[in-house]
Amino acid sequence: MFKKMRQMNIEINELIQKNLTYYTLSFTTLIFAFLFFNISVISIYNIYQSNKTLNKSYTLSIYLNNNVSQNSIEKIEKNILSLDGVEKISYINKELAFKKLAIQLGLSNRGIGNPLLNSFVVKTAGEKNLNKAKVIIDEIDGVKEVVINKKRVTLLDEKIKRNHKLIIGLLLITFLPIKIMIFNIMHSSVVSQNHDIEAKLYLGMEKKEILRPYYFINNIKFISAAIIGSLIFLNLYEFIRNEIVGLNYLVSTIQAGIVVGIIIILVSLIFPFLSFNLIKVKR
């Protein structure tokens, strides 16, 4: 066993010395491939999280009758919160709302009758739950009117659909660095040495024995490039998120790091098993 390990170590050193320029270039290519791969993955993750938030932002306004007591308002609020799909409910007092409106318009509210009504703003998960909630809330005692801003709903629907298309596009683009990562290090490294490999095969050496050093180098190179490329990405992500105004809505660097870490662990575990089946050398 130790003899085989010593022999493989010698072969690995010879391969690296003989192909130092190639391994350096391919390793650099892999790092950039992983950098691009992580950008695509975290972009998909950010858009997915954005869609989850948007899906919970379907809003309806509930206006109450003037004669509704405080106890009735509390009961109405509990009834609404018990409905399926309701994410959030906010009570708007008509007096406070009228004062804010007067300040915004630069008017004095003294001596002016308050035309506003006490109301709720309700957010639901999805348009279906919004419409179901409206039908039920319309029948609740004390509710005067339930209003859905159809223009806002349409804009939300369009944005969610646009984000879905963007996710699909990014998933397709993500296959490019995956292809580079796999075939760059596996296919070209063995094909570039095909003459030597075939010569050893004709001398009677086993194919697995010949290819083992290549697989070992490539697996180490793959995992190292994955870690380095991901660390570079996370540092860039942290800088962009903190330094560029208006991008604080992106998921935190910790969340991005967890997603990237899971991906690195998975590809690092799966790749060595796949690598033995990627290259076929004729005997």
Side-chain angles (χ1 to χ4, degrees), residues 47-61:
I47 295 169
Y48 171 74
Q49 292 296 330
S50 175
N51 262 10
K52 282 179 67 177
T53 302
L54 288 173
N55 194 54
K56 295 178 182 178
S57 300
Y58 286 87
T59 306
L60 55 81
S61 299

Side-chain angles (χ1 to χ4, degrees), residues 30 177-191 194 197 207-208 211 214-216 218-219 222 267 269-282:
L30 273 174
I178 291 174
K179 185 177 179 180
I180 293 171
M181 283 188 281
I182 293 175
F183 289 99
N184 172 61
I185 66 171
M186 294 305 301
H187 183 71
S188 58
S189 65
V190 177
V191 169
N194 205 42
I197 293 169
K207 186 167 67 174
K208 287 185 179 180
L211 295 179
Y214 294 97
Y215 290 128
F216 182 82
N218 289 332
N219 289 334
F222 182 88
V267 297
L269 290 174
I270 294 170
F271 184 75
F273 294 101
L274 293 176
S275 62
F276 284 100
N277 298 315
L278 290 174
I279 305 300
K280 297 188 182 212
V281 179
K282 293 180 181 179

Side-chain angles (χ1 to χ4, degrees), residues 136-154:
I136 295 171
I137 295 168
D138 269 328
E139 302 300 320
I140 296 176
D141 288 337
V143 172
K144 182 177 182 179
E145 186 181 11
V146 181
V147 177
I148 294 176
N149 188 331
K150 292 184 178 180
K151 186 176 180 181
R152 177 179 167 80
V153 170
T154 301

Side-chain angles (χ1 to χ4, degrees), residues 86-198:
V86 171
E87 294 290 330
K88 186 179 178 182
I89 184 169
S90 302
Y91 176 66
I92 300 174
N93 181 277
K94 67 177 183 177
E95 301 300 335
L96 293 175
F98 188 55
K99 285 180 182 178
K100 287 181 181 178
L101 181 62
I103 292 169
Q104 288 173 0
L105 297 175
L107 302 172
S108 173
N109 60 356
R110 292 179 182 178
I112 302 175
N114 186 351
L116 302 180
L117 297 170
N118 292 321
S119 62
F120 289 108
V121 174
V122 176
K123 289 187 176 182
T124 68
E127 188 177 354
K128 288 183 180 179
N129 286 322
L130 185 75
N131 294 324
K132 286 179 182 177
K134 183 184 184 308
V135 172
I136 295 171
I137 295 168
D138 269 328
E139 302 300 320
I140 296 176
D141 288 337
V143 172
K144 182 177 182 179
E145 186 181 11
V146 181
V147 177
I148 294 176
N149 188 331
K150 292 184 178 180
K151 186 176 180 181
R152 177 179 167 80
V153 170
T154 301
L155 288 173
L156 270 174
D157 285 338
E158 289 176 355
K159 193 167 185 179
I160 290 171
K161 287 176 183 177
R162 189 165 61 247
N163 283 348
H164 277 308
K165 290 178 181 178
L166 190 56
I167 287 173
I168 293 169
L170 285 171
L171 280 171
L172 294 174
I173 292 171
T174 304
F175 284 117
L176 178 62
I178 291 174
K179 185 177 179 180
I180 293 171
M181 283 188 281
I182 293 175
F183 289 99
N184 172 61
I185 66 171
M186 294 305 301
H187 183 71
S188 58
S189 65
V190 177
V191 169
S192 64
Q193 302 297 317
N194 205 42
H195 179 74
D196 292 341
I197 293 169
E198 288 185 352

Side-chain angles (χ1 to χ4, degrees), residues 173-267:
I173 292 171
T174 304
F175 284 117
L176 178 62
I178 291 174
K179 185 177 179 180
I180 293 171
M181 283 188 281
I182 293 175
F183 289 99
N184 172 61
I185 66 171
M186 294 305 301
H187 183 71
S188 58
S189 65
V190 177
V191 169
S192 64
Q193 302 297 317
N194 205 42
H195 179 74
D196 292 341
I197 293 169
E198 288 185 352
K200 290 178 181 179
L201 285 170
Y202 282 118
L203 290 173
M205 294 179 64
E206 290 291 329
K207 186 167 67 174
K208 287 185 179 180
E209 292 294 326
I210 297 170
L211 295 179
R212 188 173 284 118
Y214 294 97
Y215 290 128
F216 182 82
I217 293 171
N218 289 332
N219 289 334
I220 293 299
K221 187 166 58 173
F222 182 88
I223 294 169
S224 301
I227 294 169
I228 294 171
S230 299
L231 289 174
I232 292 171
F233 164 75
L234 288 173
N235 279 284
L236 286 172
Y237 185 82
E238 174 72 7
F239 174 79
I240 290 170
R241 189 176 180 278
N242 291 333
E243 298 299 327
I244 299 179
V245 178
L247 292 181
N248 54 356
Y249 62 86
L250 297 175
V251 296
S252 68
T253 307
I254 294 174
Q255 281 181 281
I258 292 171
V259 173
V260 168
I262 291 170
I263 292 170
I264 296 306
I265 291 170
L266 288 175
V267 297

